[in-house]
Amino acid sequence: MAPPLLLLLLLGLLPGLLPRAAGRGPLRAFVVAHSHMDVGWVYTVQESMHAYAANVYTSVVEELMKGKQRKFIAVEQEFFRLWWDAVGTDRYKQQVHQLLQEGRLEFVIGGQVMHDEAVTLIDDQILQLTEGHGFLYETFGIRPQFSWHVDPFGASATTPTLFALAGFNAHLISRIDYDLKADMQKNKKLQFVWQGSPSLSERQEIFTHVMDQYSYCTPSQIPFSNRSGFYWNGIAAFPDPPKDGVYPNMSLPVTDTNIHLYAQTMVANIKERAAWFRTSDVLWPWGCDKQFFNASVQYSNMDLLLDYINQHSDEFGVTVQYATVGDYFQAVYSRNLTWEIRDSQDFLPYSTEPFQAWTGFYTSRSTLKGIARRASSLLYAGESFFTQYVLKHPASSICKCRALKQLQSLRWAVSEVQHHDGITGTESPKVKDMYVNNLMYGMFNVKKLMASIIFDMNNAKKNGEVYSSIYSEDSGIPGATDVDQYVVVYNPLAWNITTFVTVSVSHSAMSVYDELGRSVPAQVQRSAESHSTYDLHILVAVSGLSYRKYNVKPWNGKQSGFIGRPVKYKRKDITRADQQSRQLLPVVNNCYQVLFDQNTNLMHSITERETNQTVQVTQEFLEYHVNGDVMKGPISDNYLFAPNASAVPVSKAVGLEVVSGNLMTEIRQYFYSNITSQDYIYAMYTRMYTVPEGYDGKLLCHRIEQEYRVGPLEVNREAVLRTSTNLNTGQLLYTDSNGYQIQKRPFKAYMNNTVARNYYPMVQTAYIEDDTTRLMLLAERAHGVSSQRNGQVEVMLHRRLWNNLQWDLNYNLTLNDSSVVHPVIWLILGTKAVTNILYRTSGLALEHRPVVMFGALSDKPKLPGQLQQNSVHGSPVTVPPNLHLQALSIPGWRYSSNHTEQVRSIRMGKQKQGDADFNRVLLRIRHLYEVGEDPVLSQPAMVNLKFLLKGLGSVMAVEERSLTGTWDVKALKQWKWKTAQYPSRGFSNSTETSDNCIVTVHPKEIRTFFVYFQGQ
């Protein structure tokens, strides 16, 4: 019973001053209207636009104008931009401007998509965010300040850092391990301040809210109806919206007879959720996948319900209001509570129940993962190539606007595929085809652009042709028999590289010469995959952001290229190998000796020659057999990995061929199901390089390149490469987080599904180590990776699955992927100190291999010493070895970098129209190392931007910007949430800027600048 008022007054406690937990009081629910719109998943973007997505924005804008209390949050910019450009009328556009000014429409995240967090690269996350933010700032002068990462399958520690750098004030996630979420919920620990980067720590921390067990959808079960609740517009219908407006599963309309029942249901849910959080502010998401395509019926029902609850708020103990995510976080922030700090540990992997480990998607659709990364790498090269060309050749013959559109087509495609049902491989086959087609179209455009720039700068004959290809096995010189062909090699990295590029040629007698007619080291050998072609491996040395031209001629008596000679060894039955009389075959270069066991034709050991340290290393392919019948137990699908038992070796016999030459040795291993099989599904090609005097061979020598050929698999097989060593690793694995930082992955034992729950994403790097030695794996696409035993690391390379789960069948999500995949992994073995120095630059060298173009160019002979580096400009661009030039591009945005000016011009309707802005160059620099990781490379690095970019022109002005370019860092004031570490709340201004173009970049910092050049 309540204490009498008199007693309270005598105690000096007025009712308003009752002692209560900070932040508690009458419950206030923030009803956040939203529609979760997948940019591809089951349906293509075009199908979604037609069936529901366009109607979301049209009807939401109409309905928000009808009620001043109504609000809505918009998330994925790809759909909004398509609506804005093709559907929105002038009246709708005017209303959007008004709603944004009134704070009733809020853009959250603001990227093109809601990116996946497990298998994406940080560069691509930043790209898609920058694309969306550039559009929003140019069009509306607004800058999103809150995230809404409600659907990615697990949460990475890179994302909070990224969003902090972009100027966000709070971050929101949902999908984390079911058992961890239950525990955090019970202990009211779903909100914390996340310091995602150990090196940046509190300088780039962000308040993070984990959604409760109901996640981002409104609870759909209502006790008084067999229809769903709170989804009055029903479920979106495909392919066409119903003509009569009647959709499946529309909730019962709110009436006088059921309004009290609706209110009770909603209030009970609000109270249940309130018990899991520290403040009396309750986030109540109203929406789900593909909602609000008929906003009229949604709001007209919810208006009645919210009014009714507020009229009876004394009875219910709750008030409710329409809100944006910003409204909710502002309310929590103003409570001024002290929050716990979470360190850089992430929330991966993610399980929804004991047998549902979402670790399969780390590998699903490996081909798509590979194309997405190749496209990203080509875009990176194309951006810097075009930027240098525009600055150096202002009066060029190439139409800059058309060129920018070519780049934009690839920016759009690479951004789109970062969606959490894109690069993850969790989409239907037709959506996978949409992503691939968009990527290929964008790549074709950028290759065409780069070829035309080469042409323009070499004044090539108009009837000449330049063919372009990314460094890959399928690149070839068309009909390279009788004419002089040029191979043009562009290095997109801002440091000097020495590497091999591979070109397919039609015969073995080839010679290669540089611009001055000097012979260039090259090796030609019969291709492993095709008997009619040869691989020409050319040793190239190219300065930062520069290109070289190599002349490839048929050999006419004077041979400059070395020939790789093949030796074929007898196929060996590995089940019967004689362990006693072991014969070892050595393959040696300056850094390693690799021994192969001739009894099995498998690798035996690797010796690092500098320290003379030998590690036993064997590699084999295995398959996990998985169940496809839901009646028989857990299944694997696009998302889930649920192995039946331990992995099974795939081959009983191994064939071996060693191709040796002066520059490289290639070990070709073919894995057969038995000793008499004709065909193989698995092969491994291992390359080791010997670099001649006069070349910097440090990186080349220190890597063992491996390419695998896997497929087509049988159905319900998951293929892994297992590398076993005698390193005493304690089953401790290290993997990268989005190519940005490293996460420690100790092996954990679970009651169920231990194998699958110990799989982690490897975006670029994984390694195992003992006290002295480390074995590193570097990848050019994402894979699942695990250490199931001491000294072991296994990488999942491919999956082919089918199951009879009705949901998967309905949406065609069964992953019957019959392709052959060719992933590449580079191995580095050595001391921790040596591998620390090598792996960052090697990982980037693998990610950004040179772009190779071919053509018959008319060429004037050069004078000795003249233009030995055909840089697009005068001098190469080179950053210190601990930095990476993460972006050099001309974004083309027309916004003013002065915020007051930008907002004024939008309010007055005077945004710049017409051509893109070619004067603003975006430069982004990243420090590659953590604090304390290396005695030298972990030091801050100083860069003089004027000197760095002198080859592009004379730098007139530099402005430091937030990560996506929309904030001037001097004006960026972010909320500082109270923690035990920082007891006072306020604003943080995190970056020190310098006015004289000299910048000091500290460990793990990513610094973004706008640079302006003289005469532009």
Side-chain angles (χ1 to χ4, degrees):
M1 71 179 236
L5 181 62
L6 178 64
L7 180 62
L8 289 176
L9 291 172
L10 290 172
L11 290 168
L13 296 170
L14 286 165
L17 303 175
L18 281 173
R20 57 182 172 83
R24 301 306 286 188
L27 295 182
R28 182 160 61 136
F30 292 76
V31 177
V32 176
H34 75 99
S35 179
H36 182 67
M37 297 155 76
D38 285 304
V39 182
W41 172 37
V42 176
Y43 302 103
T44 66
V45 168
Q46 291 69 27
E47 288 174 320
S48 297
M49 280 298 287
H50 175 72
Y52 82 94
N55 290 338
V56 171
Y57 290 114
T58 302
S59 71
V60 163
V61 170
E62 281 175 357
E63 291 308 309
L64 292 181
M65 295 306 293
K66 290 178 187 171
K68 282 286 183 202
Q69 78 287 10
R70 295 172 172 179
K71 295 188 176 188
F72 188 81
I73 62 166
V75 188
E76 301 83 1
Q77 286 309 299
E78 178 157 334
F79 282 126
F80 181 79
R81 289 174 74 173
L82 289 169
W83 176 83
W84 184 260
D85 290 340
V87 182
T89 61
D90 287 347
R91 184 170 67 92
Y92 283 137
K93 289 180 178 181
Q94 189 50 50
Q95 289 170 341
V96 169
H97 279 282
Q98 182 186 331
L99 291 166
L100 287 167
Q101 278 176 38
E102 292 172 1
R104 298 198 294 116
L105 176 64
E106 179 177 72
F107 287 109
V108 293
I109 311 177
Q112 286 290 91
V113 298
M114 186 186 294
H115 71 251
D116 166 68
E117 298 195 33
V119 298
T120 46
L121 202 56
I122 186 170
D123 308 55
D124 300 329
Q125 297 176 355
I126 295 171
L127 169 77
Q128 72 84 23
L129 209 56
T130 304
E131 275 296 284
H133 285 191
F135 164 76
L136 287 174
Y137 194 55
E138 181 173 89
T139 314
F140 307 111
I142 62 146
R143 305 171 284 205
Q145 289 176 44
F146 305 98
S147 102
W148 180 258
H149 256 225
V150 296
D151 203 31
F153 320 134
S156 152
T158 302
T159 313
T161 304
L162 214 65
F163 287 159
L165 286 164
F168 286 18
N169 285 316
H171 177 38
L172 183 148
I173 61 177
S174 181
R175 290 187 182 268
I176 66 169
D177 253 344
Y178 70 98
D179 40 7
L180 179 61
K181 182 178 276 198
D183 189 58
M184 291 169 78
Q185 217 166 251
K186 192 173 80 194
N187 296 306
K188 297 192 181 183
K189 291 189 184 294
L190 290 168
Q191 293 169 316
F192 47 85
V193 170
W194 197 353
Q195 296 181 350
S197 159
S199 294
L200 298 175
S201 185
E202 75 283 349
R203 288 188 299 137
Q204 296 299 344
E205 66 188 13
I206 194 165
F207 180 80
T208 303
H209 171 106
V210 184
M211 284 189 151
D212 57 49
Q213 67 190 44
Y214 291 102
S215 193
Y216 63 88
C217 291
T218 316
S220 57
Q221 273 68 47
I222 49 175
F224 53 90
S225 160
N226 59 1
R227 291 197 224 166
S228 68
F230 311 102
Y231 300 126
W232 291 284
N233 58 191
I235 297 168
F238 285 80
D240 301 305
K243 297 238 183 322
D244 58 3
V246 177
Y247 284 81
N249 204 23
M250 294 170 78
S251 303
L252 289 174
V254 174
T255 61
D256 289 349
T257 52
N258 67 19
I259 193 165
H260 191 72
L261 297 169
Y262 259 121
Q264 282 178 318
T265 304
M266 186 169 176
V267 166
N269 184 258
I270 290 166
K271 287 181 171 175
E272 183 185 9
R273 293 170 122 153
W276 300 325
F277 292 92
R278 289 178 59 199
T279 77
S280 54
D281 314 295
V282 182
L283 177 66
W284 204 78
W286 173 38
C288 198
D289 292 42
K290 309 178 192 67
Q291 281 295 309
F292 284 86
F293 46 83
N294 179 351
S296 169
V297 63
Q298 289 283 82
Y299 282 111
S300 57
N301 281 283
M302 189 57 96
D303 284 353
L304 298 171
L305 185 52
L306 299 192
D307 285 348
Y308 182 83
I309 293 172
N310 286 335
Q311 283 158 13
H312 301 82
S313 61
D314 290 350
E315 173 194 339
F316 288 126
V318 169
T319 61
V320 286
Q321 65 190 75
Y322 287 119
T324 62
V325 179
D327 293 335
Y328 170 72
F329 280 125
Q330 181 70 63
V332 176
Y333 181 63
S334 63
R335 298 283 180 190
N336 204 15
L337 299 188
T338 300
W339 300 97
E340 282 189 8
I341 291 173
R342 181 180 178 88
D343 65 10
S344 58
Q345 192 53 49
D346 62 10
F347 292 97
L348 288 162
Y350 161 63
S351 291
T352 36
E353 51 187 74
F355 281 105
Q356 291 195 345
W358 294 49
T359 56
F361 80 88
Y362 301 157
T363 308
S364 296
R365 299 203 191 283
S366 176
T367 303
L368 173 64
K369 285 176 164 66
I371 291 170
R373 287 272 282 275
R374 283 221 325 264
S376 160
S377 174
L378 177 63
L379 177 62
Y380 173 75
E383 295 280 14
S384 64
F385 203 61
F386 176 65
T387 302
Q388 295 176 74
Y389 176 71
V390 167
L391 292 173
K392 229 35 211 173
H393 303 80
S396 62
S397 63
I398 291 175
C399 167
K400 289 190 294 196
C401 291
R402 183 157 168 264
L404 189 62
K405 283 198 166 65
Q406 289 174 304
L407 283 166
Q408 284 167 336
S409 70
L410 190 52
R411 288 177 193 168
W412 185 281
V414 173
S415 296
E416 175 184 77
V417 79
Q418 307 311 316
H419 168 63
H420 57 268
D421 283 302
I423 195 166
T424 50
T426 54
E427 64 283 284
S428 66
K430 67 179 173 186
V431 174
K432 181 261 295 177
D433 292 342
M434 173 197 81
Y435 292 128
V436 170
N437 291 341
N438 291 350
L439 289 164
M440 295 308 248
Y441 173 71
M443 288 168 83
F444 174 73
N445 282 333
V446 170
K447 288 175 183 181
K448 221 161 58 173
L449 170 62
M450 292 181 78
S452 58
I453 289 174
I454 293 276
F455 244 0
D456 190 56
M457 292 195 309
N458 286 275
N459 304 317
K461 294 195 297 280
K462 286 290 172 265
N463 61 352
E465 268 194 86
V466 174
Y467 309 85
S468 166
S469 164
I470 292 308
Y471 176 149
S472 68
E473 298 313 308
D474 58 6
S475 58
I477 295 187
T481 48
D482 45 6
V483 288
D484 280 10
Q485 293 284 345
Y486 281 91
V487 176
V488 179
V489 179
Y490 177 61
N491 168 24
L493 291 166
W495 57 67
N496 304 340
I497 59 156
T498 302
T499 191
F500 280 91
V501 297
T502 307
V503 175
S504 291
V505 292
S506 51
H507 52 88
S508 62
M510 304 300 280
S511 298
V512 183
Y513 302 94
D514 69 8
E515 300 93 337
L516 301 176
R518 295 174 303 198
S519 171
V520 173
Q523 181 171 317
V524 69
Q525 58 205 39
R526 202 176 275 287
S527 167
E529 293 275 306
S530 149
H531 292 305
S532 58
T533 59
Y534 291 83
D535 292 336
L536 175 63
H537 300 278
I538 306 169
L539 181 63
V540 299
V542 193
S543 302
L545 269 59
S546 303
Y547 74 89
R548 300 276 311 261
K549 284 188 302 181
Y550 296 92
N551 189 353
V552 178
K553 296 183 176 180
W555 171 43
N556 49 8
K558 27 183 244 296
Q559 172 71 25
S560 102
F562 300 108
I563 303 276
R565 309 278 178 203
V567 177
K568 226 177 188 143
Y569 293 86
K570 195 172 160 220
R571 191 186 298 189
K572 293 294 163 69
D573 182 337
I574 55 177
T575 60
R576 295 221 181 110
D578 176 5
Q579 296 305 318
Q580 302 309 312
S581 60
R582 181 168 275 161
Q583 281 194 300
L584 299 175
L585 170 75
V587 178
V588 185
N589 71 2
N590 292 336
C591 297
Y592 299 115
Q593 171 178 277
V594 180
L595 296 180
F596 287 84
D597 183 342
Q598 291 194 275
N599 289 336
T600 59
N601 287 339
L602 294 174
M603 191 183 284
H604 169 268
S605 62
I606 303 175
T607 302
E608 204 277 316
R609 293 183 63 190
E610 197 178 334
T611 57
N612 209 22
Q613 176 86 18
T614 298
V615 178
Q616 306 292 317
V617 180
T618 54
Q619 291 185 301
E620 58 178 337
F621 293 108
L622 300 97
E623 286 176 348
Y624 286 101
H625 293 205
V626 296
N627 167 46
D629 184 352
V630 288
M631 303 310 287
K632 290 185 180 163
I635 53 152
S636 273
D637 65 9
N638 295 40
Y639 309 87
L640 309 176
F641 173 40
N644 276 347
S646 301
V648 181
V650 297
S651 61
K652 294 196 169 76
V654 179
L656 177 68
E657 183 181 7
V658 178
V659 184
S660 314
N662 294 28
L663 298 177
M664 64 174 281
T665 303
E666 184 171 77
I667 302 99
R668 300 171 178 175
Q669 291 163 291
Y670 303 94
F671 294 77
Y672 298 93
S673 55
N674 60 59
I675 197 80
T676 57
S677 304
Q678 291 301 300
D679 299 319
Y680 56 88
I681 291 176
Y682 292 86
M684 188 186 312
Y685 311 119
T686 303
R687 297 181 195 102
M688 289 168 61
Y689 299 104
T690 303
V691 184
E693 288 291 313
Y695 286 86
D696 174 11
K698 186 176 162 191
L699 285 188
L700 255 182
C701 174
H702 271 101
R703 66 181 182 240
I704 298 170
E705 291 187 7
Q706 294 195 317
E707 180 187 339
Y708 315 104
R709 180 216 178 274
V710 181
L713 300 178
E714 287 178 46
V715 173
N716 288 333
R717 299 286 187 270
E718 316 216 13
V720 300
L721 170 78
R722 183 177 290 167
T723 303
S724 304
T725 72
N726 62 343
L727 296 176
N728 184 17
T729 63
Q731 269 182 289
L732 179 59
L733 174 70
Y734 295 83
T735 69
D736 71 314
S737 173
N738 311 106
Y740 177 64
Q741 59 194 32
I742 296 291
Q743 290 275 353
K744 208 172 182 172
R745 308 294 194 188
F747 188 86
K748 296 176 186 164
Y750 295 96
M751 290 282 288
N752 302 300
N753 218 14
T754 292
V755 170
R757 289 187 79 174
N758 278 286
Y759 255 80
Y760 294 92
M762 164 193 187
V763 179
Q764 218 173 29
T765 312
Y767 63 87
I768 54 173
E769 63 184 20
D770 64 11
D771 296 339
T772 59
T773 308
R774 181 183 286 170
L775 175 67
M776 306 212 66
L777 284 67
L778 302 173
E780 39 71 82
R781 70 187 73 180
H783 299 280
V785 64
S786 185
S787 178
Q788 297 285 339
R789 290 215 166 74
N790 187 26
Q792 239 179 42
V793 58
E794 67 182 43
V795 179
M796 191 178 286
L797 300 175
H798 199 13
R799 322 176 71 217
R800 184 180 184 183
L801 308 167
W802 187 90
N803 67 71
N804 58 5
L805 180 68
Q806 205 50 53
W807 188 84
D808 279 338
L809 294 174
N810 290 349
Y811 289 132
N812 201 0
L813 294 176
T814 58
L815 200 68
N816 191 356
D817 180 352
S818 59
S819 63
V820 176
V821 299
H822 293 89
V824 172
I825 287 179
W826 291 358
L827 307 181
I828 299 176
L829 180 77
T831 62
K832 294 179 188 181
V834 167
T835 53
N836 252 348
I837 293 168
L838 292 170
Y839 87 91
R840 304 270 184 197
T841 38
S842 296
L844 286 161
L846 174 56
E847 189 65 40
H848 298 297
R849 286 169 286 184
V851 177
V852 179
M853 292 168 277
F854 313 109
L857 296 169
S858 60
D859 206 45
K860 302 179 281 294
K862 295 267 186 308
L863 301 170
Q866 178 197 355
L867 247 179
Q868 292 187 19
Q869 288 289 334
N870 276 293
S871 38
V872 188
H873 51 75
S875 55
V877 176
T878 313
V879 294
N882 52 358
L883 298 188
H884 169 46
L885 185 79
Q886 196 164 349
L888 180 70
S889 69
I890 293 177
W893 304 309
R894 295 183 294 258
Y895 60 69
S896 165
S897 50
N898 177 316
H899 183 62
T900 315
E901 227 172 77
Q902 173 64 5
V903 171
R904 189 186 309 124
S905 66
I906 287 169
R907 297 249 161 111
M908 295 169 71
K910 288 184 182 165
Q911 297 109 297
K912 293 181 191 162
Q913 299 301 322
D915 285 352
D917 178 357
F918 290 94
N919 297 327
R920 175 189 289 141
V921 171
L922 181 140
L923 170 74
R924 196 176 282 123
I925 295 175
R926 163 156 67 104
H927 197 298
L928 295 171
Y929 285 82
E930 297 283 359
V931 169
E933 188 179 353
D934 182 88
V936 176
L937 296 168
S938 290
Q939 297 303 316
M942 197 179 276
V943 184
N944 181 329
L945 298 181
K946 277 190 175 176
F947 183 76
L948 175 72
L949 302 172
K950 68 178 190 296
L952 282 73
S954 176
V955 172
M956 286 294 290
V958 174
E959 301 168 356
E960 180 152 15
R961 309 292 292 184
S962 60
L963 183 72
T964 59
T966 54
W967 290 90
D968 175 344
V969 290
K970 292 195 206 54
L972 176 56
K973 299 271 189 283
Q974 284 164 282
W975 297 353
K976 190 81 189 161
W977 296 72
K978 250 169 72 170
T979 60
Q981 195 178 348
Y982 284 91
S984 66
R985 196 180 60 128
F987 293 98
S988 75
N989 193 335
S990 54
T991 325
E992 45 176 278
T993 56
S994 84
D995 293 327
N996 58 359
C997 296
I998 294 174
V999 180
T1000 302
V1001 189
H1002 293 272
K1004 292 325 267 189
E1005 278 189 340
I1006 303 174
R1007 306 279 290 273
T1008 304
F1009 305 92
F1010 287 163
V1011 184
Y1012 303 90
F1013 290 83
Q1014 195 169 3
Q1016 282 183 282

